[in-house]
Amino acid sequence: MNDYDAIVIGAGNAGLTAAATLQRGGARTLLVERHTVPGGCATSFRRGRFEFEVALHQLSGIGAPGQAFSLRELLAELDVADGLEFVEERDLYRAVVPGVYDVTLPADWAGAADALEAAFPGNRSRIERFFELVRTVTFWQVAARGGTPVEQLDPVLFRQGLRPFKEVLDEHFDDERLACVLGTYWGYLGLPPSRLPFQDLALVLFAYFEFKPWHIRGGSQMMSRALLDSFLRAGGEVRFNTAVEAVLTRRGRAVGVRLDTCDEVSAADVVSNASLPTTYGMLEGPSLPSAVVRDLGSRRVGVSGFVLHMGLDATPEELGFTTSTTFVNADLDDERTYASMRTLQPARGIVASSYDVEPIGFAPAGASHVSLMTLQYADAWQALPPQEYARAKFAYAESLLDLLENVTPGVRDAIEEVDVATPLTMMRYLGHPGGAFYGYEQDATEGWLFRDSDRESHVPGLHLAGAWTGMGGFQPTLTAGANAARRVLETTAAA
Ligand SMILES: Cc1cc2nc3c(=O)[nH]c(=O)nc-3n(C[C@H](O)[C@H](O)[C@H](O)COP(=O)(O)OP(=O)(O)OC[C@H]3O[C@@H](n4cnc5c(N)ncnc54)[C@H](O)[C@@H]3O)c2cc1C
């Protein structure tokens, strides 16, 4: 008799929904997390009078109560929806390139079309045609992923879906500024529009327009705790501050794990929320199956990030924030911005989240919490001599503030608390190679047409869930964990 029916490695978004779904589905489940709190990226921490949100800039998929296909359905299924308060952002984002444009897109299709037409007159019909293509390709993409047979899918999906996003933008618009505003969300996927498949960025735009961008009162940590509570209420067991150091196999099948306490724990199924390289690296037994080696060799570790968390002794209005989410880019050259993410040259693009435009409760009255993020690969940070690290990170943080000063002049004077996270911080806290929080680079070869993110691992009994097996981000990983658990439960029921 196994110690458990299932063991889940890692309590990130996917690990938590996997564990809660398994336990609530009747599988006796152990959740093992190396950190001291649940959530992985989805956590927060305290500095002085402020709580700092680690990751959540904009939550997609929540939608209105009762809206079909929303993330609320999954949260309700796990009995956590009622305990969480979602805070809707009015606008999708404000996009600024100093001296070139300053445009705020409301979070609805028509309002955004109006704002773009006002900023770049004469483009209304092109904008509407473009939005229609975004909706159509997303509709058929979702249908395809939901199992609609290929012959019933609209060929527009195959004609447009894999084209680079930039190519489709250039086909619709002569005005490079307008194209840049519409491509702003590339920072949420980690590759520039020239390398992102149209269907991926279309899906992100659709998700935020249709289901709106949200924050959570009490931050993402509140949702992580609620998911953990759901798991515990159902009788699940959790071990924090404990890492899995090996996945045990017998005759090629995963049969349990060894913890860093040296305990061995057996289970019929193991679900891993750790990165793929970490998960396969922990497999004990004969050499890795050749399919695994081929798979890992064909993928590139994605981007990480640099975050400047700030507690400011001023309100968003006093500082000049008009939206919760503001993107500031140095210029229109996304390729140059992407190339700079492999260097320690000054940041060329930031997303600034002001968590008190629609307050989430992380700052006392009269103050505000703001975080600035730019994407960064880990390599340049890993190459720094240790004695250079502190100087380099504060110099780099200054470059993010320089960009922010374009929309909030004098913001430096209001700083009360700061904390800085580099890709090395992400590596340490998440245990992922390169600190990559979206998993592998999300180019066309990572998409659902070539890799089935819902597929099983190459090792029977070992299941994968999280950013490293599909798309990164909150909504995809929360959904992926529940899906992985349902497949385990279905297989067990059928056996
Ligand atoms: C700064 C930042 C900003 C972001 N902004 C957004 C945003 O605005 N919107 C959005 O949708 N997404 C955003 N993301 C991305 C999103 O947070 C992640 O893609 C998502 O949370 C990843 O979830 P996951 O399930 O893959 O697990 P992860 O969060 O990667 O967690 C994996 C867990 O596994 C644990 N673990 C690893 N190895 C072991 C082991 N051997 N034993 C035990 N435990 C182990 C880790 O400690 C960790 O808790 C952001 C991320 C960051 C860091």
Side-chain angles (χ1 to χ4, degrees):
M1 163 101 171
N2 286 319
D3 298 320
Y4 295 90
D5 297 323
I7 296 169
V8 177
I9 307 172
N13 283 332
L16 286 166
T17 54
T21 305
L22 282 164
Q23 185 69 37
R24 296 170 69 85
R28 291 172 306 122
T29 303
L30 173 68
L31 174 61
V32 185
E33 167 57 52
R34 57 201 276 285
H35 199 20
T36 49
V37 289
C41 297
T43 51
S44 62
F45 61 98
R46 192 147 195 97
R47 290 288 180 273
R49 298 193 291 157
F50 301 86
E51 186 80 14
F52 287 163
E53 168 64 53
V54 166
L56 186 55
H57 292 263
Q58 294 190 290
L59 179 60
S60 62
I62 290 300
Q67 188 172 355
F69 304 115
S70 82
L71 202 50
R72 283 182 201 266
E73 290 179 355
L74 170 63
L75 298 173
E77 228 173 81
L78 298 177
D79 195 22
V80 299
D82 291 344
L84 295 173
E85 192 182 334
F86 297 103
V87 181
E88 185 173 349
E89 288 183 49
R90 253 192 337 263
D91 299 305
L92 220 54
Y93 51 76
R94 175 180 172 195
V96 179
V97 172
V100 180
Y101 60 67
D102 184 342
V103 186
T104 298
L105 296 191
D108 68 278
W109 302 98
D114 289 346
L116 288 166
E117 175 60 19
F120 311 106
N123 282 291
R124 184 176 291 280
S125 60
R126 294 163 190 247
I127 296 162
E128 280 167 2
R129 215 172 42 250
F130 178 77
F131 280 170
E132 189 51 36
L133 186 62
V134 166
R135 285 189 290 260
T136 308
V137 165
T138 303
F139 176 85
W140 288 110
Q141 181 180 187
V142 171
R145 296 173 77 167
T148 303
V150 173
E151 57 282 8
Q152 289 174 26
L153 297 172
D154 190 321
V156 71
L157 175 62
F158 300 105
R159 275 203 309 272
Q160 304 286 357
L162 290 181
R163 294 179 67 198
F165 193 81
K166 179 160 172 37
E167 203 175 290
V168 181
L169 280 174
D170 290 347
E171 200 170 88
H172 281 76
F173 304 106
D174 300 331
D175 192 327
E176 201 189 345
R177 296 168 306 163
L178 172 46
C180 263
V181 174
L182 283 168
T184 297
Y185 269 151
W186 72 263
Y188 283 2
L189 291 172
L191 284 177
S194 61
R195 287 189 53 201
L196 270 180
F198 177 71
Q199 63 190 18
D200 284 10
L201 204 40
L203 183 67
V204 172
L205 275 172
F206 183 91
Y208 284 117
F209 270 130
E210 284 292 320
F211 294 89
K212 313 301 174 197
W214 300 80
H215 285 151
I216 304 169
R217 194 170 305 284
S220 58
Q221 183 81 72
M222 195 62 107
M223 183 164 65
S224 305
R225 285 199 182 282
L227 289 166
L228 179 71
D229 285 348
S230 159
F231 170 65
L232 295 176
R233 274 198 312 275
E237 288 177 43
V238 64
R239 288 183 72 168
F240 285 114
N241 221 0
T242 307
V244 168
E245 61 173 34
V247 175
L248 307 172
T249 60
R250 195 178 311 127
R251 288 192 285 280
R253 185 184 168 89
V255 292
V257 300
R258 187 171 57 248
L259 307 174
D260 61 358
T261 53
C262 293
D263 295 332
E264 292 196 353
V265 190
S266 63
D269 290 282
V270 176
V271 178
S272 180
N273 184 208
S275 75
L276 248 62
T278 306
T279 303
Y280 283 125
M282 292 191 296
L283 265 182
E284 270 204 350
S287 54
L288 279 179
S290 55
V292 173
V293 177
R294 265 201 314 278
D295 185 16
L296 296 187
S298 68
R299 310 171 91 171
R300 283 173 300 275
V301 170
V303 73
S304 182
F306 180 101
V307 187
L308 173 60
H309 303 277
M310 296 187 290
L312 300 168
D313 191 15
T315 63
E317 300 75 41
E318 287 163 348
L319 292 163
F321 282 105
T322 53
T323 53
S324 297
T325 303
T326 308
F327 289 87
V328 187
N329 285 306
D331 53 36
L332 304 183
D333 194 343
D334 291 335
E335 295 302 318
R336 202 173 144 207
T337 298
Y338 178 66
S340 75
M341 292 170 181
R342 295 187 184 276
T343 75
L344 299 185
Q345 287 158 13
R348 291 178 38 83
I350 53 167
V351 53
S353 286
S354 176
Y355 292 99
D356 295 279
V357 170
E358 317 287 348
I360 63 164
F362 273 10
S368 56
H369 164 35
V370 170
S371 83
L372 310 183
M373 181 178 81
T374 191
L375 298 179
Q376 280 272 282
Y377 284 89
D379 309 8
W381 294 94
Q382 285 176 295
L384 273 175
Q387 66 274 20
E388 289 287 309
Y389 180 67
R391 189 203 53 77
K393 80 175 182 177
F394 287 110
Y396 196 77
E398 290 288 350
S399 76
L400 273 69
L401 280 168
D402 289 342
L403 279 174
L404 184 68
E405 288 266 6
N406 288 293
V407 290
T408 63
V411 66
R412 283 179 165 91
D413 297 337
I415 295 177
E416 183 178 319
E417 297 283 346
V418 286
D419 207 293
V420 173
T422 72
L424 303 192
T425 318
M426 313 289 176
M427 288 173 77
R428 194 169 69 245
Y429 278 100
L430 300 170
H432 299 335
F437 48 66
Y438 301 141
Y440 285 111
E441 276 190 1
Q442 307 278 306
D443 63 13
T445 63
E446 280 296 319
W448 55 272
L449 268 169
F450 301 105
R451 296 180 196 273
D452 179 2
S453 60
D454 279 353
R455 76 190 156 158
E456 292 304 292
S457 77
H458 299 282
V459 179
L462 176 64
H463 314 271
L464 309 167
W468 293 81
T469 54
M471 226 181 195
F474 274 70
Q475 184 183 7
T477 51
L478 289 163
T479 310
N483 286 344
R486 286 182 196 123
R487 287 194 302 277
V488 172
L489 291 170
E490 278 162 20
T491 314
T492 313

